[in-house]
Each structure stands twice: as C-alpha cells, then as structure tokens.
Amino acid sequence: MTALIIADLWGELVAVLSTLFFALPYIAGYIGIILLTLLIWTGIKKVLRPASDYTSLKTVTFGDESTVVSNSVASVVSVVLIFVLWASFTGSSLLPGFLHAPGPFVGTGTFTYTVTTPDGRSDDAEVTVLVYPRDDEAPAPEVPPGDGFAKNDSIAIAEYRSDLLRVDQNDEIGRDEEAVVTHIDGKEIAPGETVRVDFGTVALSGRGTPNIRPSAGLQMEPIWLPSPEAVWSRLTEIATTGYRNSTLVEHLGYSLFRVIVGFTLGAMVGIPLGYAMGLSDWFRGWFDPIVEFMRPVPPLALIPLVIIWAGIGEVGKIILLFLAALWIMAIGARSGVSGVKISKVHAAYSLGASKWQVLRHVIIPNSLPEIFTAARVAMGVCWGTVVAAELVAAEKGAGMMIMVASKFQSTDIVIMGIILIGIIGFGIDMLMRAAERFLVPWKGRG
Amino acid sequence: MSDLVIDDVSMRFDLPDGGSVQALKNVSLTLKQGEIMSVLGPSGCGKTTLLNILAGFLAPTEGKVVLGDKRVKGPGAERGMVFQQGALFEWMSVRENVGFGPAMKGMPKGEKREIVDHLLGVVGLAQFKEKAVYELSGGMQQRVALARCLANEPEVILMDEPLGALDALTREKMQGLVLKLWKETGKTVILITHSVEEALLLGERLLVMAPRPGRIHREYRLPFADAGVGQDLREVKKMPEFGQRREEILSMIWEMEEEIMGGAAQ
Ligand SMILES: Nc1ncnc2c1ncn2[C@@H]1O[C@H](COP(=O)(O)OP(=O)(O)OP(=O)(O)O)[C@@H](O)[C@H]1O
Ligand SMILES: [Mg+2]
C-alpha cells in the first residue's frame, strides 16, 4: 500500500522534473535577456555619465538588503518585456510582424504517399492540405485524381489542428485489400512513426492512417493565451455591456464590498479581542486556544462549511472574510500590546499617569504600527479569500466572473479578470501603505 | 524635609527553574533632600534592581523605602526616572513628551506650555519643540528625557546610566547640565553609571556596590560635584585630588573583583 503511494509520488515527481527540464531553454532565454539588457544599460550609463563621480565608487555590501534599492529602469524593462513576450507569442497586431514568434502554418501544402499492395505493386499519390485560419473555414480543394491505383486526396484543416485522412478511401486498392502506406514524401514510415513534411509532420496511426499535423509554430492559440488587444477589447466590451447580468463595476464592486465589510467587522471584533488578550491573563487564557487553533486553518478550508451553514449569499462570504480578518487582527493587536517596552510603561507611571492613562496614551499608540501591519496582511488575505470563495460559489464577483469564463473557455475574460484582481490587490496594499505612512509615521523608529 | 530612606531592603528573584537570585541583600541608606549620589558597581550587582525598587516598579521582598513620611508602594510622580534610552514616546512630539507629566495631572494648557518652553530652553532644545523624537540624535533624546522628568517636578530623580550611550563630548556637556540642574532645582538625585570619572564628577556621595548578593561595598563623600557646578569639568578632572580619588576607587574595584573571582574559584 505505502509502496504503491511512494511509487505514485515518485512518478509525479518525475513528471514535474521533466516539465521543468523542458522549460529550461525558455528560462535560460529569459535570464539571457535580463543579462543582455543589463549589459546594454551599463553601456548606456557609461556613455551618459562617465564613471568618475563619487557614487560610482560606492561599494555594495552583499547581504545588506538596505544597500540595494530596485533599479527603476530594470523595473520598466521588466514590465515592458512581459507585454512584448505576451504580444510576440500571441501574434499580436500591437507588435511589428518581425518580432512575432513563428506562427502556425496557414496556406496550402502537399506531400506524397506511397501505397504497397500485398502482391508487391506500389503507387504514389499526392495529398493537398489546405490550412485555413480559424475563423475562416474553407472546403477541401478540388484535385484531379491522377493516375495509377492510388488517387490524389485533399483535406482542409484549421490552423493549430490536426486531422486523420483515410487516403485509401478513393484508391482502387485500399486498406480492405491490405494495401498499406509505406512511404511519405519518399521516406519510409511504419504505423506509429512520424515523418517531417514541408508544412509540418505526418504520422501513421496504429491502423495505418496518416495523421496530418500542420506546424503549429511557437505562438499560443487564443484559447490558451489571447493577445493583449483581445483581452483589452474584451475588457472594454464587458465594461460597457457587462457579463452574466452584471456590469464589470458590479462584479468588482461586489468583491470589494465583501472585503471591506468583512475586514471591518473582523477588525472591530479582533482589535478589542487582541487588546483584551494582551491586557488580561483571563482573556488570554480563554482565547489563546481558540485563536492559536483557528490561525493556521486557511480561510479557504472554511468555505464548504460556510456554504453549508450560510449558503452562497452575501452573509456566508462576509462571515468567511470576517473570520479571515479576525484572527490576524486579534493576533496583531495582542502582540502590539504585549510588545510595548516595559520602560515606556514605567516611564508613564512615574510621570504620574493612571492605569487608564497608560492604556490610552502609551499602550494603544504603541500598538498601532503592529495593528497596521496586521491590517495589511488581513486585507491581502481577505482579497485572496473573496476571490477564491467566489470561484466556488457566487452570483456576482471577480472570482465568479473568471470561473464562469473558464467553463466557457473564454480565456480572454479569465486573463482580464486575473489582471484586474491583481491590480486591485496591489492598489489595496498601496493604499494601506500610504495610510500607514500618514497615520503611524513612527513605525519602526522606537 | 523629604529624605529618602532605604531601610534594610532585600530583593530575591524566584527563577522559573525553581532557584532564586539574591539581587539585593540588607541595603540600608539615607539620602538627605538635595543630595546627589552616584552608584558604581560591576554588572549584575543589583543597581538597576535598587533603582526600580526606589521608583516603585518592584516591591522589595524585605525591608521598605520611605520618602519623607510616605512609604513607597508603587510608581509615583514624586519619583521621576530617566532611563538609559528608548523610553520616550515616539508617537508624540518633543513638546508633548516633555509635557506628558503635566498633561496627566490635567494642568491647564497655558501653564503647561510655559513649563515645557522653559525646560526645553534649559536643555537647549527650544527650536526642536515640534520635531518628532525619532528625528533627534541620541544625546538630544536624553535631554528630552531629562526635561520630561523635570517637567513633572519630582522630589527625587532616578537615573539608570542616562549617559551611557553618548559620545564623549556630548556626555561631558550632559554631565555639566545634570550638575547645573541639580544645583538649581535642589532635587535629590541618584545616578547609576559605569564610568568611575562620571561617578566622581557627579556624586556628592558615591556608592560602590558588590555583587552576589548585591550589597553596599563602600561609600565615599566627594567634593567634586560642588566644585564642578558652573565649572569646566575638565578643570575639575585635572585637580590632583581627583586623580588620587580615581586611582583609589579603581584599585578598590580591582580588589573587589579579585576577591569575587577568588571566591568563585574556590
Ligand atoms: N526580573 C528578574 N528576574 C530574575 N532575575 C533578575 C531580574 N532582574 C534582575 N535579576 C537578577 O538580579 C541581579 C541584579 O540585576 P540588576 O539588573 O539589578 O544588575 P545591574 O547592577 O543593574 O547590572 P548592569 O550594570 O549590568 O545593569 C542579576 O543577577 C540579575 O540576573
Ligand atoms: Mg542595570
């Protein structure tokens, strides 16, 4: 039993490693681009500012994080490059054609096949393959039958697709008389083998039928990865006409609404709870087991229970987000309170402060930075949780939008949704940081 | 007269592993109002513990502390403390820090501002009133801490290595400031230090403590604090008597160390 599991897991590991192995050239290529742009940038900098000033002599202490600030040029190049790669591998019209990765074969190609009968006669015939763009279906072209017992064939295939062609169907001696295809374009072939032709490959199926696979190139099919402009046009379309009976603003607004309400409730309960735990051993004892148990339970694991209890409406989601924020805020407030330097409390007491004044003027302000850190974490967790909860069950929301879209294979909507979710999550964090800088400027300066 | 009487104070800490540390044993001492005393002693001899008991942060296991006619039972505004560092409230401006004690007493705004302005002038930080404390240097922060303590008008000022983290020059300036304030305000001052010179300069009385258990080893009466008021402290240090005393105390500390080490070796 265990041996079986181990063998299974070993197989999975091998699959993961081999996937990684095939990704290696791409990873190496990407690193190459990073180093190349670094080289170019260094060259440009040398030209712009000869290395004689003081900062060029500055040495960086490795391992000292504070001495390394991010190079904004690299950041810009990095973001632009992502879009260029995206556009290049989707054949985007935003990019001049020579920057495109090789696309799929479109047009007409031919190959010949050779049939041999059991009594040793053989004959050639030509197959004409018309590969049409996906949205532009065409019939198979008419071709003259040609001479000999093998007759010419034709087929139309959509780009990125492959197709089996029973070449013997119109032949005078076919498979039923045990005539077999032995050569493609003059190259010997047996069932299960593959031969390269001008426009792609031809393989022989187990029963001897040619499987025609026009070259797919290196570009991604829109169903896997739509081009940036397709995503953009889908964004504008959904922004105006909506998706699934709701406008885009409604979808995103519902998600945000849930996060804000859930987080606010969580903070309103969690912060006082954390204070109580930090100030009273009774409360600490009471809630420690609960908090310490609930903290490592990922909010996502609660989704099924919340759905069973509260259904898929707003209440269930807000309960979920409330729970997601609650423990984080309680723990933040608790450690904010218990992290107060005893000398500060002592100082306040010997300056004549009462217990209440110490709480009000020392312990609470001292805990604010920790509470803000917790709030940032909680906001991030809530945003992630709401999207996941909507993936499972919702009538509106960013997560629901991409989940439904994925069921209909509308990859453009999925990608658009992911980008919007990312932007909003990033925006929330930026807002929290700005609020932190404004409200607790003393953070980390005690 | 509010004399500070330390009456046969002992302090034992119980450790979580069941053992205990005798941090102070039978310490008795009386400080007259307006006296300034410095405390010297090797690390771990109970100096901080003694100061915390005086401030009321710790209750002694035996004995008692009396200030004037009131027994010390907890922290109180009549006993101010200046910590080594890090006890300022970084969420308050310099002005709010210094005005903390008066504000807690509910003093009217105008009166409070007067006191704060005056004290910030005294410690030379008038133009930093509105700054955040984390924008100040370490020496400036110690001056704020001193001003904050003084603003509360305590009868006794307790200082635990207040100048330990400062550079030599700032430290010398602060020593002058402490002497000046002591003389002008007539407060009782206890100052812990690790520097023999500082102890000599600032202590009218000098207490040397010995460790394990923490106790009073020797006590001296010194003329330098009085002589140093309004003087260049470097001139005081050049006095032949100052050098003599310094050597005497240093060799006494060495002897004590050897005694302890010898005791530990047996
Ligand atoms: N809260 C405590 N719990 C247990 N032991 C303590 C506690 N506080 C102090 N001690 C012990 O009491 C002794 C005296 O400590 P104290 O801090 O008073 O020394 P100190 O003279 O101020 O030393 P230093 O010069 O290093 O500041 C030490 O042995 C210390 O380990
Ligand atoms: Mg100490």
Side-chain angles (χ1 to χ4, degrees), chain A residues 362-386:
Chain A
V362 180
I363 292 180
I364 289 181
N366 187 78
S367 68
L368 288 183
E370 289 246 26
I371 288 180
F372 255 93
T373 307
R376 260 179 67 195
V377 174
M379 268 298 206
V381 170
C382 280
W383 183 241
T385 306
V386 79

Side-chain angles (χ1 to χ4, degrees), chain A residues 340-354 357-358 361-363 365-366 441-443 445-446, chain B residues 52 57 75-77 79-81 83 85-92 100-101 103-105 134-135 148-149 152:
Chain A
V340 63
K341 253 197 189 163
I342 193 66
S343 61
K344 288 190 177 120
V345 175
H346 280 166
Y349 274 128
S350 59
L351 287 167
S354 66
Q357 284 171 323
V358 169
H361 295 287
V362 180
I363 292 180
N366 187 78
W442 65 87
K443 183 177 180 189
R445 316 266 194 112
Chain B
N52 281 340
F57 304 146
R79 283 158 287 123
M81 181 97 157
F83 295 85
Q85 59 180 185
L88 291 177
F89 306 133
E90 64 266 20
W91 47 90
M92 295 180 186
F100 186 83
M104 293 303 104
K105 272 187 280 193
Y134 52 79
E135 291 171 312
R148 183 176 70 175
C149 184
N152 211 34

